Amino acid sequence: MIKWFWIFAGLFILLLVVVSTKAMKKNKSINDFMLAGSSVGAILGILTYAAALFSAFIFIGIPDFFRVHGVGAWIFLAVADGVMFFMMFWFGYHLRKKAREIGYKGVAGMMSVIFKTRWAGIVVFIAAFIFLIPYVAIQIRGISMFFIAIFPNALPHYGWAILIISIMLLYSEIGGLKAIVFSDAIQAILLLVVLSIIGYNSVKYFGNVEDLFNQVKEIDPALLSTPGPKGLFTTQFLIASFIAIILLPLSQPQFSSRIVIMKSMKETYKMAAGIGVVSVVVFISTAFIGMYGAARYSNASTQEFVQNALLFDQPNVVAALAIVGLFAAVLSTSNAQIFALGSEFRSLLEGADEKANFKRTKIALFIFALIVLVTSILIGDELVLLARMSFAGTSMIVPIVLIGVISKRKPGMEIIIFSAISLLVFLLTLFNIIPSVLYNIRVDLGLYILLLIMSLVSVLVRKTHSTEKQSP
Amino acid sequence: MKNKKRIWTIVRIAIIVLSILVFTPVVIPKGVYTPELFGMPYTLWVGMVIYFSFLILILIGVSVHSKIYKEEEND
């Protein structure tokens, strides 16, 4: 396995060097560096979006989620993602239209322009900063722990984390978003290949799909329905997660920016449809790997399950490819998120000196990476639940982005205040200062309902007000 | 054009109806895993049917939306 690992790892690093230098040569302006020249085609678009979405969270987290909580994970992930792909082109159309009208450097800057106050951008940036950092950190931690298990005497946990962040910083600072998009493409292909093979092997081990599920039924029949053996997949949990996931193209800048950098709307349409098709492979494979784990490693820890299912139970070539795939997954997803934070930061900078702002952005990228490194050393191990927390947290600012992009008139300050309060309340629930369930309703779900009502009231009142003003 | 707008409205309504249906006992009956399909438990295969339905709606949606709202950029 080690021999194959070095061959694949060598090839992967070589490809990274090639794409970074190629991207560096193609980058003629700051816009090229930060927004990949806004000329990404459909195939590259599908792969970069898939890489940003299907990270270590999918590789490790979701199979484990299926193993521990059962088939409700399909509703949690696949069904929600199905609607998210619809949101991608529907919202994408409006976002691209607005970007053409007022320009685009990042969502935060765009909101400051639309709302005519910097506070809109600041709230959007704070949400992204607070919730993306732990999400990136947990992925780096997860992969570091994984590498320690495979190469016990090579590097300590922080050593792996430093290695991952250094490679990530190196090629993104050299080639910008274009290098990230190319490396995303490599990662997405690797992920698709590895997951399909392991998914297929997981079923083959038991003979067929029916025998696999019969085995799971014998271990714990609660895994075959909701709410699952631990009762996690309650209707409220699934609805709140569904809302958080479908809003990702609006709430997380790495997804919004991937819509804006597409060459044209035609390519964006193809990207939305294409990613829906490609994702089928990912979802079905992770479900089968998870069920394989439920049948064979029901009492194992996450780490033991992942090591066995993805590595030790696989042929050497597949296991080696899986290690490189995991490394690539964490690299590209972390990069997408840290770079998106950098873009958001740049979009908030004032002053006409683009070169000075660009220099500040590069320094900011370095600082964000350092913060991620420190957080990855301090953070806990719940990959999927931390990812979900990140989705839910950033979705609190969706009213700002949605109304900002869609509304034809200037939205009111109250939208910013509602979102900021919701963000704060959600944060307080995470620190147990406010209970996460109040009067039998999950607070995140309650916040979504309140935000929806308040946003509708704001839009309607302002619409009526402006109509009254216009009439003689 | 009128026909395309009607299809676009139907697609949006279908997405909303299916999304609501997902969270009812029709798709996630508590503690029930029958009837099975190809050995797969009920919630899983119905969830797959729902996902493929979304996929078909996305393909139809993409097709009509692109014709209704032609972007003012050089496609």
Side-chain angles (χ1 to χ4, degrees), chain A residues 94 97-98 101 114 403-411:
Chain A
H94 294 283
K97 197 174 158 194
K98 205 62 148 191
E101 284 168 22
I114 294 169
I403 295 172
V405 167
I406 288 179
S407 179
K408 283 177 186 141
R409 36 188 97 69
K410 181 182 148 313

Side-chain angles (χ1 to χ4, degrees), chain A residues 100 217 226 264-265 269 276, chain B residues 31 36 47 51 65-66 71 73:
Chain A
R100 277 202 309 278
K217 205 184 294 174
T226 56
S264 64
M265 191 59 212
Y269 286 128
Chain B
E36 292 156 302
Y51 180 79
H65 192 273
S66 62
E71 209 182 16
E73 66 177 79

